[in-house]
Amino acid sequence: MNIKDYVINRKIELKKEISSLTIKPKLIIIQVNDDPASDTYVRGKLKDGAEVTANVILDKQRPDISEEDLIKLIDKYNNDKTVHGLIVQMPLPKHINENHIKLAVNPKKDVDGFHPLTNFDPCTPKGIINYLKSENVVIQGKNAVVIGRSNIVGKPMQKLLLKENANVTQLHSKTTNEDMRFYLEHADIIVVAVGKKHFLNSNFKLKESAVVVDVGINRDESGLHGDCEPNLKVRLQTPVPGGVGLLTRLTLLTNLMEAYYGIQH
Ligand code: NAP
């Protein structure tokens, strides 16, 4: 099933589940930037919440808020028993230390999965694994290659693929071209999270049975582009737009439901 239909179906199920609950799951999004890309992501999260009838609330703060005041605000929501999920939209203004903020969020409400003691897997890699399973992609014993090693995508992707018993290789900017070609040629599952338009292209020789997951979101004057050239000769390739971004958004809702059930009402 394509990702759009998969997400629509899961949202219908979530809406049904939430409509049977007297207390609705509540997610607070704190935003402290004026970044247009963040505005778009936040709008998407509010829209998703409304669609499934969850209570998703934006608390937009001025970008000059001090780190101390932001932590006080986070603490207010940490201690608010009516709040099940709490996220702080990244990026943060330069005067605020990202690690301090990630550590300030109650791990039980950390539905982004950023706290080291969190109960939740980060949304992008978790959404990808769930989608691959729904497509009956065999992960166990397969050669998986993750390109990119960021804390929000590459590293947790490697961890989750390993948990599913894949043989995982992680590549990055210091990988030689020769090694990049070698590992990609032998890969059954390829996750590309580099942030470079059409980084993976038809110049690479890939297995026809390979599954390619395109995490990249690259904006230019002609629109949104993935890290992979469209229509590679492989078994399955996730599109951009309408691909991993939708899975990430869906997983925020499923993490919120887990937080909801994990917290006493
Ligand atoms: P990031 O923090 O910039 O990390 C990029 C990674 O790519 C780094 O590990 C870097 O290696 C590696 N890299 C850069 N140039 C490379 C090269 N020439 N060859 C091999 N590896 C290279 O980015 P990110 O946050 O992981 O995001 C990656 C992309 O995914 C971006 O386009 C972002 O917008 C998108 N994204 C999408 C979603 C979604 O829901 N669809 C979610 C998050 C991110 P080094 O570590 O060696 O520098």
Side-chain angles (χ1 to χ4, degrees):
M1 190 186 297
N2 70 49
I3 291 182
K4 275 189 185 154
D5 290 339
Y6 166 79
V7 170
I8 288 171
N9 288 346
R10 283 293 292 122
K11 279 186 177 168
I12 291 170
E13 287 167 11
L14 283 168
K15 185 178 176 180
K16 208 168 149 200
E17 183 180 343
I18 294 171
S19 63
S20 70
L21 302 169
T22 36
I23 298 170
K24 302 291 176 203
K26 192 197 262 190
L27 171 68
I28 302 291
I29 305 170
I30 301 176
Q31 186 183 359
V32 288
N33 63 39
D34 280 330
D35 172 38
S38 290
D39 287 340
T40 309
Y41 295 138
V42 168
R43 266 199 306 278
K45 290 169 190 177
L46 294 170
K47 185 170 158 274
D48 292 339
E51 273 179 38
V52 300
T53 71
N55 194 3
V56 180
I57 297 165
L58 172 63
D59 182 341
K60 196 160 183 176
Q61 295 288 323
R62 288 166 51 114
D64 61 0
I65 187 173
S66 68
E67 184 174 303
E68 197 188 348
D69 284 347
L70 180 57
I71 289 176
K72 274 189 199 149
L73 182 68
I74 291 170
D75 235 32
K76 183 187 91 171
Y77 291 123
N78 280 343
N79 296 315
D80 181 341
K81 288 201 169 65
T82 72
V83 172
H84 307 100
L86 171 59
I87 64 176
V88 183
Q89 183 66 39
M90 299 292 157
L92 296 170
K94 285 203 170 60
H95 66 280
I96 298 178
N97 182 312
E98 196 177 293
N99 282 331
H100 294 171
I101 299 308
K102 287 180 178 169
L103 287 172
V105 175
N106 178 348
K108 288 189 178 145
K109 300 188 180 187
D110 175 33
V111 286
D112 258 340
F114 289 162
H115 193 288
L117 300 177
T118 186
N119 294 334
F120 305 95
D121 288 322
C123 297
T124 302
K126 181 174 171 178
I128 291 170
I129 294 283
N130 286 341
Y131 178 67
L132 293 181
K133 285 183 177 174
S134 80
E135 284 293 304
N136 298 316
V137 172
V138 177
I139 303 176
Q140 177 158 316
K142 296 295 178 186
N143 295 333
V145 168
V146 179
I147 316 179
R149 54 176 167 180
S150 69
N151 290 331
I152 62 158
V153 189
K155 281 184 191 142
M157 190 74 243
Q158 187 268 356
K159 200 177 118 205
L160 294 193
L161 284 163
L162 198 59
K163 202 165 143 196
E164 297 294 330
N165 300 316
N167 316 316
V168 194
T169 306
Q170 189 133 38
L171 308 179
H172 44 75
S173 69
K174 305 293 181 286
T175 304
T176 64
N177 288 340
E178 198 187 0
D179 285 339
M180 184 69 71
R181 286 185 182 283
F182 173 83
Y183 287 112
L184 287 173
E185 221 172 273
H186 293 90
D188 302 301
I189 299 169
I190 302 166
V191 180
V192 192
V194 169
K196 293 201 160 96
K197 179 180 169 183
H198 301 175
F199 176 85
L200 185 70
N201 53 50
S202 49
N203 295 326
F204 288 99
K205 204 174 125 213
L206 306 179
K207 284 188 180 182
E208 282 187 12
S209 59
V211 168
V212 171
V213 178
D214 190 348
V215 182
I217 301 176
N218 307 289
R219 287 184 172 79
D220 68 14
E221 57 293 337
S222 63
L224 271 192
H225 307 277
D227 284 352
C228 305
E229 191 180 289
N231 305 315
L232 293 170
K233 288 194 174 56
V234 292
R235 173 188 150 196
L236 188 160
Q237 177 178 359
T238 66
V240 175
V244 171
L246 296 180
L247 299 176
T248 302
R249 283 166 57 177
L250 172 69
T251 310
L252 184 66
L253 295 174
T254 56
N255 275 354
L256 175 64
M257 294 312 289
E258 285 177 26
Y260 176 86
Y261 291 122
I263 289 172
Q264 300 292 322
H265 299 293

